């Protein structure tokens, strides 16, 4: 798993590297700046003018070094160093001195008033005003510079490490109008937590993580609850199937899904379950859904709810290896009562999705304590029913962590970079998936995948990590084949075999 470190931790890892590599802070800055300059030279034509805005700290030092290195690659560079307080960091000052006498650089140091230059449509703007050390919203002159950059018609804006004005974790108290809107963000060592939140996407552009050779001491300095799943993690989780196996080897799953008129939810979850390796599947659904299910998914057993057009009768589930409840069941009072009883029957191998989550939120007192290690798969609106309204994604994530730890649950917050929260409070961000998956039924597909893995006796942690990853990967395969606009939830299911093949390589 790739760690996500806080800004404070990154500064400590910087210091640890400087002491233990050993390397000077100035050389470490040079290392980072070389990578940024190289990426810019790969992307942009050297005939495009470069305009660099540098602040007085180490982010400004990075920007000055990038300016020097680009000039050596024959870019024509103009630099504005903001030294209003006449106090530069030592490394920023050193890089300022290295600009003396260089060709292709027009240098301006701002100590009082700033007269903005004209930014033409072919100009590349480099934002090096403030990096990870920022602790309060930008105000005054710096806020004006940010707004000037954002209002320009520049060819591209490149942020070094972090778009200036953006806090690396919590932006609840920030003035979001005073954040640079970058087209590219070249960040160092690891992505930043704020980069994972939907509301900050508009400031980041294309993000690339540059490895500058920091040494992670693997101790309390870099202990973190935040991670990004990597392909090798998932590959190592997949189990080899024994040659001498049968359908009983891979579990008997139970899906409780679909009221009258919502057979589609049950069909999607069922097909995804069977495409994800479950040996056997029983679907409990109203009698009215019997024919559509048997036609669409003949591999499944249908256990019909007799005499009701909804889930109304709880039943014993000890013969099943895992249970999923929720897609399309509705939130009727009778269904809520049945769910409350059914949850107690179903033990800990349980996935709750969609309407089941809404019922849990609405009838919390009636439902009582969910079995430990229950897996919940809410989208943002459903999550609000569990944890209440929040001010931004950071608070939402922290409240979800508290909810998961207090109740000993797994919670998958569905969306771009889906966040998987564990009973220990760890958070794993999933890198697969795409906007084409924002389509009806996509969540039902995820429920089916999770149910299949749980029935096959995958550990809960592996179930949520592998299930979320393969769901997104299948979506990526479908999008590549069909386009973001053209894909539907069924296409994700059809792409599951290819997704598992890729993971197994």
């Amino acid at each position: 798993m790739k760690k996500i470190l806080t800004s404070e931790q990154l500064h400590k890892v910087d210091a640890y590297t400087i002491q233990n590599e050993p390397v000077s802070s100035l050389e470490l800055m040079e290392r980072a700046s070389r990578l940024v300059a190289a990426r810019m030279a790969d992307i942009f034509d050297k005939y495009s003018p470069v305009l660099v805005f540098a602040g007085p700290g180490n982010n400004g030092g990075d920007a000055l070094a990038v300016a020097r290195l680009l000039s050596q690659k024959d870019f024509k560079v103009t630099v504005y160093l903001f030294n209003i307080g006449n106090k530069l960091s030592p490394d920023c000052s050193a890089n300022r001195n290295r600009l003396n006498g260089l060709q292709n650089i027009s240098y301006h140091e701002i100590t009082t008033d700033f007269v903005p230059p004209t930014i033409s449509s072919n100009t590349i703007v480099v934002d090096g005003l403030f990096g990870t050390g920022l602790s309060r919203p930008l105000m005054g002159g710096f806020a004006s510079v940010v707004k000037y950059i954002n209002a320009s018609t520049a060819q591209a804006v490149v942020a070094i490490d972090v778009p200036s004005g953006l806090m690396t974790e919590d932006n609840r108290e920030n003035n979001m109008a005073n954040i640079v809107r970058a087209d590219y963000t070249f960040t160092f060592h690891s992505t930043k937590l704020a980069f994972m939140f939907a509301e900050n996407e508009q400031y980041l552009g294309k993000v690339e993580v540059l490895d500058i050779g920091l040494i992670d001491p693997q101790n309390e300095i870099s202990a973190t609850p935040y991670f990004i799943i990597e392909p090798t993690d998932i590959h190592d989780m997949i189990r080899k199937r024994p040659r001498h196996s049968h359908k009983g080897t891979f579990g008997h799953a139970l899906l409780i899904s679909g009221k009258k008129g919502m057979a589609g939810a049950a069909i999607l979850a069922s097909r995804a379950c069977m495409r994800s390796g479950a040996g056997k599947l029983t679907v409990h659904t109203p009698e009215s859904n019997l024919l559509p299910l048997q036609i669409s998914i003949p591999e499944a057993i249908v256990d019909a709810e007799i005499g009701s057009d909804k889930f109304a009768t709880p039943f014993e589930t000890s013969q099943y290896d895992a249970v999923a409840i929720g897609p399309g069941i509705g939130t009727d009072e009778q269904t809520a009562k049945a769910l409350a009883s059914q949850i107690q029957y179903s033990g800990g191998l349980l996935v709750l999705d969609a309407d089941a989550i809404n019922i849990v939120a609405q009838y919390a007192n009636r439902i009582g304590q969910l079995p430990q290690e229950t897996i919940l798969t809410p989208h943002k609106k459903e999550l609000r029913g569990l944890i209440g309204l929040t001010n931004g994604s950071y608070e939402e994530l922290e409240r979800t962590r508290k909810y998961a730890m207090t109740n000993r649950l797994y919670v998958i917050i569905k969306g771009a970079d889906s966040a998987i929260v564990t009973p220990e409070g760890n958070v794993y961000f999933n890198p697969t998936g795409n906007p084409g998956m924002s389509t009806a039924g996509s969540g039902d597909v995820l429920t089916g995948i999770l149910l299949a893995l749980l029935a096959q006796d995958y550990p809960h942690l592996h179930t949520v990590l592998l299930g979320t990853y393969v769901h997104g990967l299948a979506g990526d395969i479908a999008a590549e084949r069909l386009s973001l606009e053209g894909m539907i939830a069924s296409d994700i299911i059809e792409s599951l075999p290819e997704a598992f093949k890729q993971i197994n390589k």
Side-chain angles (χ1 to χ4, degrees):
M1 301 290 174
K2 183 68 174 177
K3 292 179 178 179
I4 299 177
L5 302 182
T6 66
S7 57
E8 182 180 357
Q9 287 176 313
L10 285 166
H11 295 152
K12 289 179 178 178
V13 170
D14 266 356
Y16 184 91
T17 302
I18 289 166
Q19 181 176 354
N20 289 275
E21 185 173 339
V23 61
S24 71
S25 60
L26 188 60
E27 177 53 35
L28 193 59
M29 182 177 286
E30 187 75 4
R31 188 186 297 175
S33 301
R34 279 198 299 268
L35 290 173
V36 173
R39 287 299 295 122
M40 290 185 64
D42 289 340
I43 296 169
F44 301 112
D45 190 293
K46 67 181 180 180
Y47 298 107
S48 298
V50 177
L51 179 59
V52 175
F53 293 104
N58 283 349
N59 193 245
D62 290 328
L64 297 178
V66 167
R68 169 171 45 82
L69 293 164
L70 286 175
S71 76
Q72 293 170 356
K73 295 177 184 290
D74 296 328
F75 283 84
K76 184 177 180 181
V77 182
T78 301
V79 174
Y80 285 86
L81 171 61
F82 293 87
N83 189 13
I84 306 300
N86 198 30
K87 186 179 181 181
L88 303 178
S89 74
D91 290 344
C92 184
S93 180
N95 271 302
R96 176 187 61 178
N97 296 338
R98 289 178 173 182
L99 296 180
N100 290 335
L102 290 181
Q103 300 296 317
N104 289 336
I105 287 188
S106 173
Y107 174 76
H108 309 270
E109 187 163 331
I110 308 303
T111 56
T112 54
D113 295 332
F114 171 56
V115 179
T118 299
I119 300 178
S120 62
S121 60
N122 67 332
T123 298
I124 303 160
V125 174
V126 176
D127 164 33
L129 293 172
F130 294 96
T132 60
L134 191 67
S135 59
R136 60 182 183 271
L138 292 184
M139 300 174 64
F142 283 115
S144 297
V145 174
V146 167
K147 289 176 178 177
Y148 176 72
I149 293 172
N150 290 342
S152 75
T153 59
Q155 175 188 164
V157 177
V158 176
I160 299 176
D161 206 13
V162 178
S164 291
L166 185 69
M167 312 295 183
T168 52
E169 288 88 43
D170 185 1
N171 282 275
R172 281 176 293 180
E173 304 301 322
N174 205 349
N175 184 339
M176 308 305 279
N178 298 338
I179 300 173
V180 166
R181 295 177 183 268
D183 298 292
Y184 295 85
T185 298
F186 297 115
T187 196
F188 304 135
H189 185 65
S190 68
T191 194
K192 312 304 184 273
L193 184 61
F195 292 8
M196 312 308 296
F197 300 146
E199 62 264 32
N200 297 330
E201 179 182 6
Q202 60 187 307
Y203 307 110
L204 300 171
K206 180 178 173 56
V207 177
E208 292 189 31
V209 178
L210 303 181
D211 182 0
I212 61 173
L214 297 182
I215 301 172
D216 186 342
Q218 300 288 336
N219 57 25
E220 69 281 355
I221 288 176
S222 61
T224 177
Y226 303 111
F227 304 88
I228 297 177
I229 305 169
E230 296 188 293
T232 52
D233 303 319
I234 299 302
H235 178 271
D236 293 344
M237 291 176 192
I238 288 282
R239 295 174 175 172
K240 300 300 179 185
R241 294 196 144 204
R243 178 176 175 79
H244 296 285
S245 57
H246 51 83
K247 63 184 178 184
T249 307
F250 304 112
H252 188 176
L254 170 66
L255 173 67
I256 300 175
S257 177
K259 64 179 181 178
K260 183 178 181 180
M262 292 294 290
I267 290 167
L268 290 168
S270 298
R271 292 181 61 218
C273 181
M274 295 305 294
R275 283 291 189 190
S276 300
K280 191 175 177 182
L281 171 66
T282 294
V283 185
H284 183 84
T285 194
E287 190 175 15
S288 58
N289 292 336
L290 179 61
L291 187 60
L293 269 160
Q294 290 192 321
I295 292 172
S296 300
I297 180 80
E299 297 86 353
I301 302 163
V302 181
D303 176 43
E305 174 102 23
I306 305 299
S308 177
D309 60 2
K310 62 181 76 71
F311 172 49
T313 309
F315 55 96
E316 174 61 44
T317 61
S318 58
Q319 68 269 40
Y320 303 106
D321 295 296
V323 180
I325 312 174
I329 64 172
T331 57
D332 178 88
E333 171 77 11
Q334 194 175 8
T335 298
K337 289 180 180 179
L339 178 65
S341 298
Q342 191 64 61
I343 285 172
Q344 304 315 313
Y345 281 132
S346 300
L349 297 179
L350 181 62
V351 181
L352 297 182
D353 180 36
D355 288 330
I357 295 174
N358 291 327
I359 291 172
V360 167
Q362 187 176 354
Y363 298 95
N365 293 335
R366 179 184 296 171
I367 298 296
Q369 189 74 27
L370 294 174
Q372 290 192 7
E373 297 194 310
T374 295
I375 299 170
L376 305 178
T377 62
H379 55 56
K380 296 278 189 175
K381 184 177 179 181
E382 292 163 349
L383 182 64
R384 287 197 293 271
L386 299 174
I387 66 170
L389 293 172
T390 58
N391 179 16
S393 295
Y394 179 83
E395 183 179 10
E396 175 186 82
L397 186 59
E398 290 307 292
R399 279 208 209 165
T400 304
R401 289 181 65 222
K402 183 178 180 180
Y403 179 81
M405 288 187 286
T406 299
N407 297 287
R408 304 300 299 167
L409 305 172
Y410 289 89
V411 182
I412 302 172
I413 307 174
K414 293 183 292 195
D417 299 313
S418 292
I420 301 161
V421 186
T422 73
E424 297 75 32
N426 291 327
V427 180
Y428 300 88
F429 291 99
N430 178 56
T432 61
N434 59 78
M437 298 175 73
S438 301
T439 185
S442 180
D444 302 326
V445 175
L446 176 61
T447 296
I449 297 169
L450 296 169
L451 174 60
L453 297 174
L454 208 56
Q456 291 171 75
D457 200 31
Y458 275 87
H460 281 74
L461 180 61
H462 288 188
T463 293
V464 293
L465 297 179
L466 174 57
T468 307
Y469 187 94
V470 76
H471 178 247
L473 180 58
D476 290 339
I477 293 166
E480 180 66 24
R481 183 167 54 92
L482 298 166
S483 81
L484 295 176
E485 295 81 6
M487 62 183 285
I488 57 176
S490 295
D491 300 320
I492 302 172
I493 298 170
E494 296 307 318
S495 299
L496 282 170
E498 179 60 30
F500 279 106
K501 280 178 64 176
Q502 288 190 22
I503 292 170
N504 272 302
K505 285 182 181 177

